[in-house]
């Protein structure tokens, strides 16, 4: 829910009610209370930025340390156990546990891990593009002519099973939202979608994606999907 505008719905079965804990935590740090009962809770980029800063400050008060502009550039491994991490090609931090939550823009880290002969494999993932269209058209389609001017910006979900066995579907639909730049490397383009809390943009957008498997992109090594 922290990227890029605080969508907090999930289709994962949750018998332990962990999702409720997540929602209550977001509210405790400044998210609107209605996310506790909405079917598809959404915070909005404008509010989310403050919520995440509040969470970070609370963790700092409890002893956590955050380092921005800091890249993990090497690992020290002895007898198959982690011993230290290197930051920015200089500082070493000794530790016996590392959690790598490195997101979508850490190709350099993946390449470094490959040099350590760790067990890695390519996996299936989804790839596609983002489509944008007038929100009024979405409202008319979803609500009908009688109501479309009086209800909030309408969401939608699109799925299709094709004759070749592939599934195409919409993802991260942003009612009243914006298409925004999310590029993380020079000479590469990536876009994302987001909505402010008011969802009052004249446009809607969503990602239209299809699953690809290692055999689609020559999955000969763990980085073949990255190259694709």
């Amino acid at each position: 829910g922290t990227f890029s505008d605080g969508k907090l719905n999930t289709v994962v079965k949750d018998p332990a009610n962990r999702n409720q804990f997540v929602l209550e935590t977001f509210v405790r740090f400044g998210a609107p209370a209605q996310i506790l009962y909405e079917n598809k809770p959404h915070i909005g980029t404008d509010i989310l930025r403050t919520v995440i800063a509040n969470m970070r400050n609370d963790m700092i008060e409890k002893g956590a340390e955050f380092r921005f502009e800091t890249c993990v550039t090497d690992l020290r491994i002895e007898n198959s156990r982690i011993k230290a991490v290197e930051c920015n090609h200089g500082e070493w931090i000794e530790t016996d546990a590392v959690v790598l939550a490195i997101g979508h823009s850490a190709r350099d880290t993946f390449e470094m891990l490959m040099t350590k002969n760790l067990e890695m494999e390519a996996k299936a993932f989804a790839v596609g593009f983002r489509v944008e269209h007038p929100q009024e058209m979405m409202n008319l389609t979803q609500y009908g002519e009688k109501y479309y001017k009086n209800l909030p910006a309408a969401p939608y979900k699109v799925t299709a099973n094709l004759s070749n066995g592939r599934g195409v579907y919409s993802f991260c639909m942003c009612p009243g939202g914006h298409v925004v730049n999310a590029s993380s490397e020079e000479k590469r383009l990536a876009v994302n979608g987001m909505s402010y809390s008011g969802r009052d943009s004249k446009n809607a957008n969503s990602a239209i994606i299809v699953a690809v498997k290692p055999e689609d992109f020559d999955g000969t090594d763990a980085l073949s999907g990255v190259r694709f």
Side-chain angles (χ1 to χ4, degrees), residues 19-40:
N19 190 49
Q20 187 66 23
F21 169 78
V22 171
L23 296 174
E24 290 173 354
T25 300
F26 271 91
V27 170
R28 183 159 61 92
F29 286 101
Q34 66 257 30
I35 69 171
L36 297 176
Y37 57 80
E38 290 177 331
N39 176 252
K40 291 186 176 182

Side-chain angles (χ1 to χ4, degrees), residues 20-66:
Q20 187 66 23
F21 169 78
V22 171
L23 296 174
E24 290 173 354
T25 300
F26 271 91
V27 170
R28 183 159 61 92
F29 286 101
Q34 66 257 30
I35 69 171
L36 297 176
Y37 57 80
E38 290 177 331
N39 176 252
K40 291 186 176 182
H42 169 259
I43 295 174
T45 300
D46 46 339
I47 296 177
L48 180 68
R49 289 181 295 207
T50 300
V51 174
I52 298 305
N54 291 341
M55 289 181 175
R56 181 176 69 244
N57 291 333
D58 183 72
M59 295 172 70
I60 291 173
E61 290 178 3
K62 291 176 168 60
E65 180 182 351
F66 287 78

Side-chain angles (χ1 to χ4, degrees), residues 151-224:
L151 293 170
Y156 64 82
K157 177 71 176 178
V158 174
T159 61
N161 293 312
L162 306 183
S163 58
N164 61 6
R166 293 187 188 271
V168 179
Y169 53 98
S170 60
F171 175 77
C172 187
M173 191 271 148
C174 301
H178 304 267
V179 176
V180 295
N181 179 36
S183 301
S184 59
E185 291 185 309
E186 291 185 2
K187 299 182 180 180
R188 294 184 184 273
L189 176 66
V191 296
N192 196 24
M194 50 76 70
S195 299
Y196 293 114
S197 57
R199 287 181 163 173
D200 52 3
S201 166
K202 65 179 182 179
N203 292 324
N205 69 80
S206 68
I208 303 297
I209 56 180
V210 62
V212 293
K213 299 178 180 180
E215 51 264 34
D216 295 320
F217 50 81
D218 184 28
T220 53
D221 63 60
L223 298 185
S224 54

Side-chain angles (χ1 to χ4, degrees), residues 78-149:
E78 299 176 6
N79 299 321
S80 299
R81 296 188 65 86
I82 188 78
K83 292 295 183 179
V85 297
E86 181 191 55
C87 295
N88 294 341
H89 300 286
E91 179 187 11
W92 283 92
I93 301 174
E94 294 186 359
T95 181
D96 58 4
V98 174
V99 177
L100 290 173
I102 53 181
H104 82 299
S105 57
R107 295 177 178 88
D108 53 345
T109 307
F110 291 131
E111 293 167 356
M112 179 270 290
L113 294 174
M114 282 284 286
T115 68
K116 300 299 178 182
N117 296 319
L118 301 178
E119 185 175 342
M120 301 169 65
E121 63 182 27
K123 69 171 188 176
F125 60 95
V127 63
F129 59 91
R130 191 158 285 272
V131 60
E132 186 176 53
H133 27 238
Q135 182 62 52
E136 186 175 23
M137 181 176 72
M138 294 298 101
N139 292 350
L140 182 60
T141 301
Q142 297 292 75
Y143 296 141
E145 189 170 355
K146 185 176 180 180
Y147 301 105
Y148 80 99
K149 291 185 177 180

